[in-house]
């Protein structure tokens, strides 16, 4: 088996592949036609961020089994093309967790003690001992936005140094947070309490610019640390807040645009420290990601589960055609349920009824979890979703029953916190035509894809007309509408399939009407929203 490596990785990964008996070829400068020729007989391709793995590459590589990314990001790999060609794409998301956590701690101390500024002045011959009055972290409060793998590692390290921990993360249980020593709170409370704020969440439409002028004002006198993803903090607002003394200082390793432009306002403020995305730049981290990819290539060659596969379902080949249509349906149901649920997710229950209950459904349950966790994790997939649930202390249960009251087969995904919950049910019509048929007990018949708006309102004349009028006012075309109600004059729920996202102004106009209880916009099946564009 031939493994082609087109970007430099640590020698430990190369040696592991050779020890497994594979022919390892390195070609670090190939691109264009030379890359297509080099990959033509390869069984595995190992890249970092330098090699563009396009559809043309997959078309030129008929023997390719797996593409391994020695790191996290896979923007340079056409995953849809890989799937079309039956090629597994895998990354190494855990190899640099410790490195990123340690860089966060280093940046925290550097900001608190003005280490780079003092160093620079001493290098110019100035003994500026009286110019810098540092801040101790002991007995201070660390606010953590995102208590995933890196966030938990940072919490352990800084908690051990005497910091009180308070975290905002809607996807982790209170029990798991307590094990780490952190109080869970809403973002406003975290900002009010924190002396230091550290960011550990992916960049999504929901998190883009989530720390802006108002949030920085709540952090008055504190410090901001971001070694996660650029774009989460409003950079001009941060520069102004530090310059004006609203925030004491900041330390950033990631930026909305990289490399950081020379005219960035961040560079003009002495108390904002910047490093060029060094979070994963340690020898150990690079070795970890290299050996992780080597192990996953070995698993793929042996037809064993690939733990960090981003596009590869795993189950018995003969059963897969029967189960395949339910994979996307379960993921969509999970995505709908979690975005309709208002509380902190502590439980996920997936229930199968009817004929589908006779199948091996581990993959389908994992796909439901993928839908639940997709707003949270980088590259969450059906392979790693159960592990994410375990790491976050979320209880997952799967139940089956042979009888289904109304449908030949029915999948229900329910998310809850032990007291409140939301459930979404889906089925297949005519064998492979997916439908959402219940939302929290309301009977609907909705297409599970594209742009979806879910409204709750009092059941009285004129409400649907109001919603339609507002949609028309904002030039939003309604492709389908599915209405249900509890009782006459009670509460009603409507699912709208629309042709584009509903803007915030339209949502606010709807919710200003006393008859409208709630309006939720949800993008399904890879739809790009305006925030993504």
């Amino acid at each position: 088996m031939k493994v082609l490596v087109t970007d430099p990785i640590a020698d430990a990964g190369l040696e592991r592949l050779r020890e497994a008996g594979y022919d390892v070829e390195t070609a670090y400068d190939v691109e264009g036609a030379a890359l297509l020729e080099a990959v033509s007989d390869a069984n595995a391709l190992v890249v970092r961020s330098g090699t563009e793995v396009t559809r043309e590459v997959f078309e030129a590589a008929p023997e390719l089994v797996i593409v391994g990314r020695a790191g996290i990001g896979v923007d340079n790999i056409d995953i849809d093309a890989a799937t079309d060609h039956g090629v597994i794409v895998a990354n190494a998301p855990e190899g640099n967790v410790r490195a990123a956590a340690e860089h966060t701690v280093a940046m925290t101390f550097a900001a608190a003690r003005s280490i780079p500024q003092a160093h620079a002045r001493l290098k110019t011959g100035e003994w500026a001992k009286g110019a810098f009055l540092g801040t101790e972290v002991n007995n201070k409060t660390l606010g953590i936005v995102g208590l995933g793998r890196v966030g938990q590692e940072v919490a352990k390290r800084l908690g051990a140094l005497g910091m009180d921990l308070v975290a905002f993360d809607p996807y982790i249980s209170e029990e798991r947070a307590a094990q780490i020593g952190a109080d869970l709170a809403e973002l406003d409370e975290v900002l009010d309490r924190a002396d230091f704020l550290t960011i550990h969440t992916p960049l999504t439409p929901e998190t883009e610019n989530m720390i802006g002028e108002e949030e920085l004002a709540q952090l008055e006198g504190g410090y901001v640390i971001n070694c996660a993803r650029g774009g989460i903090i409003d950079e001009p607002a941060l520069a102004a807040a530090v310059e004006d003394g609203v925030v004491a200082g900041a330390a950033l390793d990631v930026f909305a645009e990289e490399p950081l432009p020379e005219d960035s306002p961040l560079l003009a403020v002495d108390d904002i420290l910047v490093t060029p995305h060094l979070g994963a730049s340690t020898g150990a981290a690079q070795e970890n990601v290299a050996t992780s990819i080597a192990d996953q290539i070995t698993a793929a060659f042996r037809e064993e589960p690939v733990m960090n596969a981003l596009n590869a379902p795993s189950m018995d080949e003969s059963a897969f055609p029967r189960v395949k249509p339910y994979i996307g349906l379960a993921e969509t149901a999970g995505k709908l349920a979690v975005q309709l649920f208002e509380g902190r997710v502590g439980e996920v229950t997936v229930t199968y009824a009817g004929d589908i209950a006779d199948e091996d459904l581990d993959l389908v349950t994992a796909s439901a979890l993928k839908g639940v966790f997709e707003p949270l994790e980088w590259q969450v997939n059906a392979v790693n979703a159960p592990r994410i649930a375990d790491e976050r202390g979320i209880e997952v249960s799967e139940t089956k029953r042979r009888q289904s009251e109304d449908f030949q087969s029915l999948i229900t995904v329910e998310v809850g916190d032990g007291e409140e919950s939301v459930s979404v049910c889906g089925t297949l019509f005519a064998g492979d035509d997916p439908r959402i048929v219940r939302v929290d007990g309301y009977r609907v018949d909705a297409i599970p894809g594209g742009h979806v708006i879910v409204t709750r309102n009092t059941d009285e004349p004129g409400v649907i007309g109001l919603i339609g009028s507002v949609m028309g006012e904002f030039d939003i075309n309604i492709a389908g509408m599915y209405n249900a109600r509890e009782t006459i004059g009670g509460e009603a729920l409507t699912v709208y399939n629309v042709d584009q996202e509903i803007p915030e102004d339209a949502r606010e106009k709807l919710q200003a009407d006393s008859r409208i209880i709630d309006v939720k916009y949800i993008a399904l099946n890879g739809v790009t929203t305006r925030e993504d564009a």
Side-chain angles (χ1 to χ4, degrees):
M1 303 291 272
K2 175 182 172 180
V3 180
L4 176 66
V5 184
T6 57
D7 293 316
I9 66 170
D11 288 343
L14 300 177
E15 286 305 312
R16 188 164 295 191
L17 289 166
R18 292 188 178 109
E19 289 170 1
Y22 308 132
D23 177 18
V24 179
E25 178 182 318
T26 59
Y28 298 150
D29 297 321
V30 296
E31 59 183 16
L35 172 60
L36 301 183
E37 181 178 354
V39 79
S40 62
D41 61 345
N43 304 107
L45 173 63
V46 178
V47 301
R48 295 182 67 189
S49 58
T51 301
E52 291 292 326
V53 189
T54 63
R55 182 173 292 275
E56 192 175 11
V57 171
F58 290 107
E59 290 172 350
E63 304 301 320
L64 202 59
V65 174
I66 181 171
V67 174
R69 165 63 162 100
I72 296 179
V74 290
D75 293 344
N76 56 315
I77 302 172
D78 187 335
I79 296 179
D80 288 338
T83 303
D84 289 344
H85 288 80
V87 179
I88 299 168
V89 177
N91 66 350
E94 296 180 352
N96 58 12
V97 167
R98 185 176 291 105
E102 290 185 359
H103 194 64
T104 301
V105 173
M107 295 285 269
T108 300
F109 277 107
R113 300 304 298 269
S114 302
I115 293 172
Q117 300 96 315
H119 167 83
R121 290 176 67 171
L122 186 56
K123 280 284 190 175
T124 64
E126 183 180 0
W127 187 262
K129 182 176 180 180
F132 301 102
L133 184 65
T135 299
E136 295 183 13
V137 301
N138 183 49
N139 291 326
K140 299 299 192 300
T141 297
L142 177 68
I144 307 169
V145 178
L147 206 54
R149 291 186 291 265
V150 178
Q152 290 182 25
E153 291 297 319
V154 171
K156 292 174 186 176
R157 285 160 173 74
L158 290 177
L161 295 174
M163 298 196 79
D164 296 325
L165 308 175
V166 57
F168 168 68
D169 190 326
Y171 295 91
I172 196 166
S173 67
E174 292 185 1
E175 291 77 13
R176 179 57 180 159
Q179 290 173 1
I180 300 164
D183 295 333
L184 281 183
E186 295 302 318
L187 181 59
D188 283 346
E189 182 180 346
V190 170
L191 292 166
D192 287 338
R193 292 174 56 182
D195 300 298
F196 292 80
L197 186 75
T198 181
I199 310 297
H200 300 288
T201 184
L203 178 65
T204 68
E206 291 73 26
T207 63
E208 186 174 8
N209 287 328
M210 73 182 298
I211 306 298
E213 182 179 356
E214 292 183 7
E215 290 76 17
L216 293 167
Q218 288 182 260
L219 191 67
E220 184 178 4
Y223 295 82
V224 178
I225 315 296
N226 185 15
C227 298
R229 283 292 185 271
I232 297 170
I233 298 173
D234 183 332
E235 293 174 1
L238 177 62
V242 178
E243 181 71 21
D244 296 342
V246 175
V247 174
L252 307 179
D253 185 49
V254 291
F255 310 95
E257 181 181 347
E258 297 183 2
L260 187 64
E262 293 182 1
D263 61 353
S264 169
L266 299 172
L267 297 175
V269 184
D270 286 342
D271 289 325
I272 297 179
L273 314 181
V274 292
T275 54
H277 208 145
L278 299 179
S281 296
T282 69
Q286 296 308 308
E287 182 171 317
N288 288 340
V289 298
T291 55
S292 172
I293 284 300
D295 290 342
Q296 293 187 76
I297 288 171
T298 298
F301 285 169
R302 294 176 178 174
E303 298 185 351
E304 297 172 353
V306 178
M307 287 307 300
N308 291 311
L310 302 178
N311 65 336
S314 177
M315 68 179 315
D316 181 80
E317 184 177 357
S318 63
F320 186 64
R322 297 192 299 273
V323 171
K324 182 179 180 180
Y326 292 94
I327 294 172
L329 180 61
E331 180 181 334
T332 298
K335 191 180 298 185
L336 277 169
V338 75
Q339 293 185 70
L340 293 173
F341 183 61
E342 299 288 349
R344 189 180 304 281
V345 178
E347 302 171 349
V348 179
T349 302
V350 186
T351 302
Y352 303 96
D355 292 351
I356 188 66
D358 292 328
E359 301 292 347
D360 175 3
L361 297 168
D362 288 347
L363 175 59
V364 183
T365 297
S367 297
L369 294 177
K370 177 181 184 292
V372 171
F373 297 136
E374 199 165 59
L376 169 69
E377 291 284 334
W378 295 288
Q379 287 93 40
V380 62
N381 56 75
V383 176
N384 62 24
R387 184 175 55 190
I388 291 170
D390 182 63
E391 289 173 349
R392 295 179 171 273
I394 295 173
E395 182 179 347
V396 178
S397 59
E398 175 185 305
T399 61
K400 297 180 179 181
R401 59 175 186 267
R402 296 290 181 85
Q403 299 300 318
S404 175
E405 183 178 343
D406 300 308
F407 303 96
Q408 186 172 348
S409 292
L410 188 72
I411 294 178
T412 302
V413 180
E414 182 176 11
V415 300
D417 58 9
E419 295 181 359
E420 302 292 332
S421 66
V422 168
S423 63
V424 174
C425 304
T427 191
L428 298 178
F429 290 164
D432 60 358
D433 186 13
R435 287 289 191 276
I436 298 299
V437 293
R438 291 193 190 115
V439 176
D440 213 18
Y442 292 92
R443 294 290 297 267
V444 296
D445 180 9
I447 299 171
H451 299 276
V452 174
I453 300 166
V454 181
T455 66
R456 293 178 186 265
N457 55 271
T458 56
D459 179 41
E460 53 185 289
V463 178
I464 291 177
L466 164 73
I467 296 171
S469 296
V470 172
M471 298 290 185
E473 179 182 341
F474 285 86
D475 200 27
I476 298 167
N477 189 53
I478 298 174
M481 183 188 77
Y482 315 94
N483 180 257
R485 63 185 179 184
E486 291 177 330
T487 58
I488 297 175
E491 184 176 314
L493 178 144
T494 308
V495 180
Y496 298 87
N497 289 108
V498 295
D499 290 343
Q500 67 262 29
E501 179 186 359
I502 176 173
E504 187 61 34
D505 289 349
R507 295 180 227 181
E508 290 177 356
K509 185 163 187 177
L510 286 172
Q511 295 201 273
D513 191 290
S514 61
R515 297 169 295 179
I516 304 294
I517 300 168
D518 191 27
V519 178
K520 284 283 195 322
Y521 164 75
I522 301 168
L524 299 174
N525 297 346
V527 163
T528 299
T529 68
R530 276 191 285 272
E531 290 90 342
D532 297 321

